[in-house]
Amino acid sequence: MKGFLITGTDTDVGKTWFMLKFGELLKEYKFKFHFLKPVESGCEEPDGNIIPKDAEQFSKLENTPLSNICKFMFKAYASPPRAAKLENKKIKLADILNFINEKKDLDNDSFNLIEGCGGFFSPIADNKLTADLAVKLDLPVILVVNNKLGCINHTLLSIEAIKKLNLNIKFIVLNDLSKNVPLDNFEELSRFTEIPIIRLKYKEKADPDLINYLT
């Protein structure tokens, strides 16, 4: 399978936002791609409906049924295993992997963009972390970082954890989650790692230079 695992230094660092912007860029440059967000929690709406908002956005951009992108949807805004437990359900890593294998795009020219849950060491299934999913998939990793105070520590710890599992980090996305970033960490972070760092400005398009990292 060709593609990337997208993970973060923490929860709410903008993984989904990056993936949407990445998908828009791939679409603009006529690359084939397929989103996979096997698990999404925090899906309950006020009217009681279960709507995976992130996966829904992927579905619209890719113009493919939601069922091709996401399977495991839970109400509570919590880690998937905890959210599943609140519904008297269980979620196993094998189930997630089976779904990915069933729905992945086998076209050698297509990029499967697979989103993990939360940070690299966040729980994604019963007694399993996103890191365990990453090892099973053995895909290059894209690490998304919220450009804020403290992100250098979080980023370097995540890099060390990913490398210890013999996984390749393709590039780091330094994500501006607000219009005015009080402390820009790009230059300082660049001093501590040779991994390419790509800026994603607030509500702007993805840098076309990303295309250079697809090979």
Side-chain angles (χ1 to χ4, degrees), residues 173-209:
V173 178
L174 190 60
N175 193 10
D176 292 352
L177 293 184
S178 62
K179 186 175 182 180
N180 299 310
V181 176
L183 184 68
D184 185 11
N185 294 279
F186 179 79
E187 288 189 10
E188 192 170 6
L189 181 57
S190 299
R191 297 190 193 111
F192 292 101
T193 180
E194 296 180 355
I195 300 168
I197 303 172
I198 307 296
R199 297 298 305 273
L200 184 57
K201 296 286 190 176
Y202 180 68
K203 291 191 176 180
E204 290 188 9
K205 290 184 175 182
D207 190 333
D209 282 349

Side-chain angles (χ1 to χ4, degrees), residues 46-66:
D47 59 6
N49 289 326
I50 305 298
I51 300 175
K53 290 182 179 179
D54 294 349
E56 233 184 14
Q57 293 182 79
F58 294 155
S59 174
K60 289 176 182 176
L61 179 58
E62 189 182 339
N63 193 26
T64 192
L66 183 62

Side-chain angles (χ1 to χ4, degrees), residues 60-154:
K60 289 176 182 176
L61 179 58
E62 189 182 339
N63 193 26
T64 192
L66 183 62
S67 59
N68 289 337
I69 294 172
C70 184
K71 180 175 182 179
F72 307 100
M73 310 167 203
F74 303 109
K75 299 175 184 178
Y77 185 65
S79 70
R82 182 175 293 186
K85 188 176 181 180
L86 290 171
E87 299 179 28
N88 296 313
K89 298 175 182 176
K90 288 188 176 183
I91 180 166
K92 296 186 178 298
L93 185 61
D95 298 329
I96 296 172
L97 289 166
N98 287 340
F99 174 75
I100 291 172
N101 286 327
E102 179 185 342
K103 298 297 183 180
K104 66 186 178 185
D105 193 336
L106 294 173
D107 189 331
N108 288 329
D109 293 326
S110 183
F111 293 93
N112 290 280
L113 308 179
I114 304 172
E115 183 177 349
C117 290
F120 189 63
F121 276 169
S122 292
I124 194 171
D126 292 346
N127 299 315
K128 298 294 181 181
L129 309 172
T130 291
D132 296 302
L133 175 64
V135 169
K136 290 292 185 181
L137 294 174
D138 196 25
L139 291 172
V141 174
I142 297 173
L143 180 64
V144 181
V145 180
N146 181 1
N147 188 12
K148 66 174 185 177
L149 181 65
C151 76
I152 293 174
N153 174 59
H154 296 158

